[in-house]
Amino acid sequence: KEGNVPWNKASWKNAYFAGLIDGEGYISIQGNAPDKTRYQRIVVRTSMVTKISLEEGQNIWGGWIYERNRPQQTPYFEWVIQHGQAEKFLKDISPYLKEKKKQTELALRLRFLQTRKRTVNNHISEEELIQRKILEKDLKALHLNKGKKNQIPS
């Protein structure tokens, strides 16, 4: 139909991985220092029992694949993408997301705050630290409200 985007190989893969993230993915903002606001990163992870699809995603967007084992359960593979790789991945799949659209917007907003140029000695202002903390809180609220569509904050 007129106005439709051509269904090419790249859009097919973007749509496939969007479905994977919508169904089995996890988008988060994580900190790795005593001040978890100052050293945050966006992290996208998903897992499967087979790793063939995850390897395809890794070949396109990067990241790491880990084999996970739980006692008396089937081993599985987890694909983890962070920082700029996660940003590119989320931008690529964003048009196809349904369930994780708001989470993606919050994660990309944090990434924007992280990568923009700062004017004062490249330091993060207290105002920006507060904005980052709010983004992290809002994203966690979406995780906590999973399945309660009427209670998800806008």
Side-chain angles (χ1 to χ4, degrees), residues 117-134:
K117 300 271 186 218
R118 295 184 184 85
T119 55
V120 183
N121 297 330
N122 206 26
H123 283 55
I124 302 168
S125 69
E126 289 302 315
E127 180 182 318
E128 184 172 325
L129 288 174
I130 291 168
Q131 287 179 342
R132 289 181 180 197
K133 198 66 177 167
I134 290 169

Side-chain angles (χ1 to χ4, degrees), residues 29-88:
I29 297 172
Q30 297 178 348
N32 61 348
D35 177 0
K36 292 185 181 211
T37 306
R38 213 171 279 279
Y39 300 101
Q40 292 172 311
R41 66 187 179 279
I42 58 173
V43 179
V44 180
R45 46 179 88 233
T46 191
S47 56
M48 299 179 89
V49 181
T50 60
K51 72 179 191 179
I52 248 175
S53 292
L54 301 180
E55 288 173 329
E56 176 127 9
Q58 182 186 36
N59 288 336
I60 298 168
W61 292 286
W64 299 269
I65 296 175
Y66 302 100
E67 185 172 358
R68 306 289 190 197
N69 294 297
R70 296 176 288 196
Q72 300 177 354
Q73 293 188 5
T74 304
Y76 66 97
F77 297 92
E78 182 179 45
W79 178 35
V80 180
I81 321 167
Q82 305 181 85
H83 303 293
Q85 292 174 331
E87 176 186 21
K88 176 162 181 10

Side-chain angles (χ1 to χ4, degrees), residues 81-136:
I81 321 167
Q82 305 181 85
H83 303 293
Q85 292 174 331
E87 176 186 21
K88 176 162 181 10
F89 175 68
L90 290 174
K91 284 180 177 178
D92 286 351
I93 69 169
S94 181
Y96 305 98
L97 287 170
K98 304 280 185 226
E99 298 294 322
K100 303 263 171 59
K101 191 77 143 170
K102 182 69 176 171
Q103 293 175 16
T104 296
E105 290 169 4
L106 293 170
L108 291 175
R109 175 73 183 140
L110 174 74
R111 187 70 184 153
F112 168 77
L113 290 174
Q114 291 175 324
T115 57
R116 68 186 175 134
K117 300 271 186 218
R118 295 184 184 85
T119 55
V120 183
N121 297 330
N122 206 26
H123 283 55
I124 302 168
S125 69
E126 289 302 315
E127 180 182 318
E128 184 172 325
L129 288 174
I130 291 168
Q131 287 179 342
R132 289 181 180 197
K133 198 66 177 167
I134 290 169
L135 289 170
E136 181 181 7

